[in-house]
Amino acid sequence: MSRQSVTVRVPAKVNVQLAVGGPRPDGFHGLANVFLAVGLYDEVTATAAGELRITCSGPDAGQVPLDRSNLAARAALALAERHGRGADVHLHIDKDIPVAGGMAGGSADAAGALVACDALWGTETPRDELMEICAELGSDVPFSLVGGAALGTGRGERLAPIEVGGTFHWVFAAADGGLSTPAVYREFDRLCEAAGRTVPEPEASPVLLDALRAGDPKALADAVSNDLQPAALSLFPSLADTLRAGSEAGALAALVSGSGPTTAYLAASAESAREIADALRASGTCRTVRTTTAPAPGAHPTDAPDRSSAP
Ligand code: ATP
């Protein structure tokens, strides 16, 4: 049955491990990417309209393209094409995920648009086909659909779910400015070449996976890693000041989120997260600071139970 309007909520992500291999012939890098969905959300509302239209609200709305380069628009067009129909829909993005921050905000909007349009149009696309479209749209999009925690291999798009045994407390500091993901990968290649370093095959850390399964923040803090961090710091050196401020305030781990420049802080408790957030705000080294928990569910309509965590 089709509806007039559908709103879908989609989480941001942090990479608790991002192991990057050397560049492949297709230009992508092989990855072992441990995604954790966190409770910062964009909401995508799809409403029947005469033609494809995108609008956006929220603090970073001015940085979001409103033409067909928007990942949500590309998702609607891909789904419409698969069903041989027009993408006649108004997509409104209520954006809470920092833009160009390494938290997969655009990917979240793509997954949200897919789920919202599928419900609005009544096209009932099987889950595995939705996952295929997600993988075509971008390496991080499949994870935005499923949420929770998962190991991504290949370009990051081949996903295996990971069990998480507890709630983790996180603080995120958005930086003043963005970083282009391709530019960070280019810098990664440049730094490896300059160091004459052979990049090993990326592999997930068994210790990190155990820490997630155990829900143990200290063990997770000891195991987190991000191979893109030196490249992000090289392009955005002031992030080191933000990371230091978070560590000094008691973060168990402080790391760049994905390709940055958002930085992520794992806290021992909700109270510690609030203290770290206050210290980061007072440090004057970042634009905005948010506290939240993980894992969070994947893309789900706001009026329906989440199905991402269903067995
Ligand atoms: P990732 O963590 O997946 O590397 P990111 O969080 O660093 O991504 P995004 O917020 O997804 O970055 O935005 C990257 C660029 O993509 C933006 O600068 C913007 O020009 C473009 N873009 C396209 N669609 C969107 C969207 N729906 N929301 C935000 N940015 C979008």
Side-chain angles (χ1 to χ4, degrees):
M1 192 187 76
S2 58
R3 294 187 262 172
Q4 283 307 303
S5 182
V6 179
T7 298
V8 172
R9 211 162 193 237
V10 203
K13 59 87 187 163
V14 62
N15 307 84
V16 282
Q17 185 188 1
L18 184 46
V20 182
R24 307 189 314 196
D26 64 3
F28 288 100
H29 289 73
L31 300 176
N33 193 348
V34 181
F35 294 102
L36 182 63
V38 302
L40 299 182
Y41 300 95
D42 281 358
E43 284 189 0
V44 182
T45 300
T47 310
E51 58 180 1
L52 178 60
R53 194 159 78 86
I54 307 279
T55 54
C56 185
S57 57
D60 285 357
Q63 298 168 51
V64 175
L66 300 179
D67 57 15
R68 290 180 176 218
S69 70
N70 189 300
L71 273 173
R74 290 182 42 213
L77 287 163
L79 185 71
E81 193 185 323
R82 184 158 296 223
H83 292 288
R85 54 161 296 143
D88 37 6
V89 64
H90 170 205
L91 294 172
H92 179 75
I93 303 168
D94 190 2
K95 195 159 229 345
D96 200 30
I97 304 175
V99 172
M103 297 193 77
S107 302
D109 300 341
L114 267 187
V115 175
C117 289
D118 194 44
L120 181 75
W121 297 337
T123 34
E124 296 186 3
T125 313
R127 190 78 166 169
D128 57 344
E129 280 188 39
L130 285 180
M131 286 293 277
E132 259 172 46
I133 302 173
C134 286
E136 283 160 19
L137 291 166
S139 310
D140 289 349
V141 185
F143 179 71
S144 300
L145 188 71
V146 301
L151 169 63
T153 49
R155 287 185 286 123
E157 82 292 2
R158 282 200 308 265
L159 288 182
I162 298 168
E163 191 197 320
V164 181
T167 300
F168 293 99
H169 296 273
W170 287 92
V171 183
F172 291 93
D176 225 342
L179 272 176
S180 140
T181 303
V184 175
Y185 275 98
R186 280 196 300 274
E187 184 67 0
F188 170 85
D189 291 339
R190 194 189 68 77
L191 291 175
C192 290
E193 216 179 290
R197 193 163 80 82
T198 315
V199 183
E201 271 305 297
E203 274 177 39
S205 148
V207 176
L208 179 122
L209 299 181
D210 282 347
L212 283 172
R213 285 190 202 103
D216 181 340
K218 285 203 178 66
L220 182 62
D222 289 343
V224 294
S225 66
N226 179 358
D227 286 355
L228 291 182
Q229 182 154 318
L233 283 169
S234 165
L235 297 175
F236 209 130
S238 63
L239 292 181
D241 300 331
T242 324
L243 290 169
R244 195 173 315 111
S247 296
E248 284 172 6
L252 300 174
L255 73 161
V256 170
S257 176
S259 55
T262 299
T263 47
Y265 306 85
L266 180 57
S269 64
E271 195 192 338
S272 168
R274 277 192 296 276
E275 285 167 13
I276 295 162
D278 287 345
L280 284 166
R281 284 188 193 101
S283 75
T285 62
C286 47
R287 180 166 57 97
T288 49
V289 180
R290 303 286 299 277
T291 56
T292 186
T293 57
H300 58 284
T302 51
D303 63 353
D306 156 45
R307 54 174 193 164
S308 67
S309 52

